[in-house]
Amino acid sequence: MTPSERPPSVARGVGLAIALYAAHVAVVFVGAALARAGGAGAGLLGFASFLYVGVAQIVYMGPAIAIAYSRGRMDLVKGLCIAGAVVALLNAACWGAQMMPPR
Amino acid sequence: MTASRRILWPAIFVLAVAVDAAILTRGGAILGCIFGRHGRFDSAAPNRPAPPIEQRVKERVLGVAAGSDGVLYLRTEKALRARDASGAERWSHPMTDSDAPYPVVAPDGTVLAADREGLTALTPDGGVKWHLGPGQLRGPEGDERIYEIAVAADGAIYAAGWTLRAITADGRVAWTFGARIGMVPSVAVAPDGTVFAGGMDLHALRPDGTVKWKVERAWAGGFAVAPDGTVYWVYDFTPDRDRRLMAVGPDGVKKWELRLERAGRRPAIGRDGTIYVAAGPLYAVAPTGQVRWMFRPTTELEAPVVLAANGRIYTGRAMELFAVDARGAPAWTARVPADFAELKFFLAPDPAAPLYAINGAALFEVRDDPRGPLTAPWPQPGRDPGHTGSAQVRR
């Protein structure tokens, strides 16, 4: 792929974020497997991080944004931040809907 | 690229995460404020095991009050019993069944208790100070029963039945008031001495018995009175299943009302003015009428709320006890034997005393280290451990 054919860095930032979320999901499954093996605390932690992904993502999105920022890859930073903000707001909306009783 | 543009997207990300964190931790309150609707904390699993609970009195207990000396007065079906802090019985006075479940300890230590034979005032050592029989208590409505007693700071006693009677500290009926008091007789005293007489209509009376104002069709009872004189109660018109938390200012003008899911009893008022009432869910309502949060377990809560100095809020239903923290998150739940009577809690003034739970079957001591009632405008039914029902009386 030539440089002109590469996706713009913003899209790459979003793609990187999606890859990180996929890794997060994988970690949750590993946690579940650990829980089955007797480490219930690890499984619970993984499940909680999934439920509270909007906040939990700071663990990996924070360093990813910081590294991209320090390297001056501002389009990548923008993509990561857009994805992170969307996930956080979706997470907030889901919990908000859960907390709002029917009229 | 300018510095402001360089931090714009990270700032948006941090802001979104902060919004998410705020919704996760304070979602009910935030959504209630934004939309004017009820937020909800679903009853996640309690985060602590229930404290030890001991069944101390196997007799049917109607109500409890305590003196400033820590003596506990238990109104049972057959007697008024005085117990000291160790649980030893000091004295008992035989009584018949009563519609007024709570004994009342006046500021001077006089203990008041009603039964079918009238109203009795006892000294702190159990001697009879005076007694008013049915003939002396019978008012314009032709009924002598007493449902609730309040005592003002000056010692004036108000006994509410279908007639409201004002009784002097030496046992003389000063005046009676009987206009449409019936149905849910209840009484409380505001900080300025105004007497709220509940019933079909809510009457605000001056200490001399004249009417200041009234609210018609208020179905008022089980009052909590704020320091500014605002009176709160649960309007419960059963035929329509129309239940509301009502707030009426000291001038008799309705401030707001909040529709409740179920019947509730006796609101409590917290340190910051938040009104708590269990009526299906446990509601925490701002003094402006907006729901701050709701605690909604699978059980429909109904027990009068008590607020403890340890920051916990206690309520429940019949055999189920619930403790939640000041944010509405569950602390623990417990089950006790019950006979389907109304569940009540009581907080004694002694910081070392347990939380008392009464459900008709027995009196239970709940070792949750409540540290006494919360220092708040109306932390439990009757406001103070003496159950004076007066916002004037110092605790």
Side-chain angles (χ1 to χ4, degrees):
Chain A
M1 189 182 283
T2 63
S4 60
E5 291 172 318
R6 283 182 182 169
S9 290
V10 174
R12 290 177 71 192
V14 173
L16 176 59
I18 290 169
L20 288 168
Y21 292 131
H24 184 170
V25 173
V27 167
V28 171
F29 277 101
V30 170
L34 282 173
R36 285 184 119 189
L44 195 65
L45 191 66
F47 187 63
S49 74
F50 194 60
L51 288 178
Y52 306 118
V53 62
V55 175
Q57 63 174 330
I58 286 180
V59 171
Y60 47 88
M61 291 294 279
I65 292 168
I67 291 167
Y69 191 91
S70 65
R71 292 182 180 177
R73 302 285 300 276
M74 295 314 296
D75 284 347
L76 204 59
V77 169
K78 187 176 173 181
L80 286 165
C81 288
I82 288 171
V86 167
V87 166
L89 293 176
L90 279 174
N91 189 228
C94 289
W95 278 103
Q98 181 67 22
M99 290 174 184
M100 195 99 76
R103 280 185 190 277
Chain B
M1 187 179 284
T2 61
S4 60
R5 287 197 65 186
R6 287 170 69 90
I7 63 164
L8 175 67
W9 288 103
I12 288 172
F13 171 69
V14 169
L15 184 66
V17 172
V19 167
D20 186 38
I23 291 289
L24 291 175
T25 54
R26 301 284 298 167
I30 293 167
L31 295 166
C33 288
I34 294 172
F35 298 106
R37 289 167 59 180
H38 304 168
R40 183 174 70 183
F41 278 101
D42 270 337
S43 58
N47 56 20
R48 294 185 65 175
I53 298 174
E54 294 174 59
Q55 187 172 340
R56 301 294 287 191
V57 178
K58 291 177 183 172
E59 194 178 357
R60 184 167 174 247
V61 178
L62 306 176
V64 186
S68 54
D69 55 359
V71 173
L72 215 59
Y73 298 98
L74 307 181
R75 177 69 172 90
T76 70
E77 263 182 318
K78 295 173 183 169
L80 175 67
R81 303 187 190 285
R83 300 192 334 167
D84 62 24
S86 67
E89 187 166 298
R90 284 191 173 185
W91 52 262
S92 77
H93 181 83
M95 301 201 86
T96 58
D97 203 359
S98 174
D99 297 304
Y102 288 98
V104 172
V105 184
D108 66 356
T110 300
V111 186
L112 299 154
D115 66 3
R116 296 285 159 86
E117 308 305 321
L119 176 65
T120 305
L122 299 149
T123 57
D125 59 2
V128 176
K129 202 171 167 184
W130 49 259
H131 175 81
L132 290 174
Q136 294 159 292
L137 293 168
R138 196 167 293 131
E141 302 290 320
D143 192 274
E144 64 274 6
R145 281 177 291 183
I146 293 173
Y147 289 83
E148 193 167 43
I149 303 164
V151 183
D154 63 0
I157 299 155
Y158 300 99
W162 284 50
T163 298
L164 177 72
R165 304 92 171 170
I167 301 162
T168 59
D170 58 357
R172 186 175 49 83
V173 177
W175 50 261
T176 60
F177 179 79
R180 300 185 75 184
I181 288 287
M183 303 305 288
V184 277
S186 190
V187 63
V189 183
D192 66 354
T194 299
V195 182
F196 295 117
M200 183 189 295
D201 299 336
L202 166 65
H203 287 89
L205 307 171
R206 296 182 188 88
D208 64 2
T210 55
V211 177
K212 274 173 92 172
W213 47 259
K214 74 170 180 176
V215 178
E216 293 191 343
R217 302 273 167 187
W219 302 104
F223 301 111
V225 186
D228 67 354
T230 300
V231 57
Y232 302 100
W233 77 93
V234 175
Y235 170 107
D236 182 4
F237 187 58
T238 304
D240 286 353
R241 297 191 173 208
D242 181 6
R243 284 95 181 213
R244 299 175 227 161
L245 177 63
M246 307 290 290
V248 167
D251 51 1
V253 176
K254 187 174 82 178
K255 285 184 162 180
W256 49 262
E257 63 181 39
L258 174 74
R259 193 169 286 272
L260 304 171
E261 292 184 15
R262 296 282 185 272
R265 297 187 189 95
R266 297 180 181 276
I269 305 174
R271 191 177 287 157
D272 62 353
T274 299
I275 306 107
Y276 300 91
V277 64
L282 168 63
Y283 296 77
V285 185
T288 52
Q290 290 176 314
V291 175
R292 288 195 160 139
W293 51 257
M294 291 167 75
F295 168 65
R296 185 194 297 275
T298 51
T299 300
E300 287 176 357
L301 305 172
E302 62 172 19
V305 174
V306 301
L307 311 174
N310 66 1
R312 294 231 166 101
I313 302 160
Y314 300 99
T315 184
R317 178 191 180 91
M319 63 183 73
E320 291 182 85
L321 319 182
F322 287 83
V324 302
D325 70 17
R327 291 177 43 247
W332 53 260
T333 65
R335 290 176 75 86
V336 293
D339 68 351
F340 302 103
E342 180 186 349
L343 174 68
K344 299 167 193 161
F345 291 98
F346 175 74
L347 290 162
D350 180 3
L355 169 72
Y356 295 97
I358 311 158
N359 69 1
L363 174 94
F364 301 92
E365 290 185 358
V366 184
R367 300 278 169 193
D368 196 33
D369 190 22
R371 297 175 218 157
L374 181 71
T375 304
W378 203 282
Q380 61 179 333
R383 184 174 180 254
D384 47 74
H387 210 277
T388 62
S390 170
Q392 292 181 304
V393 175
R394 291 182 64 187
R395 284 165 286 152

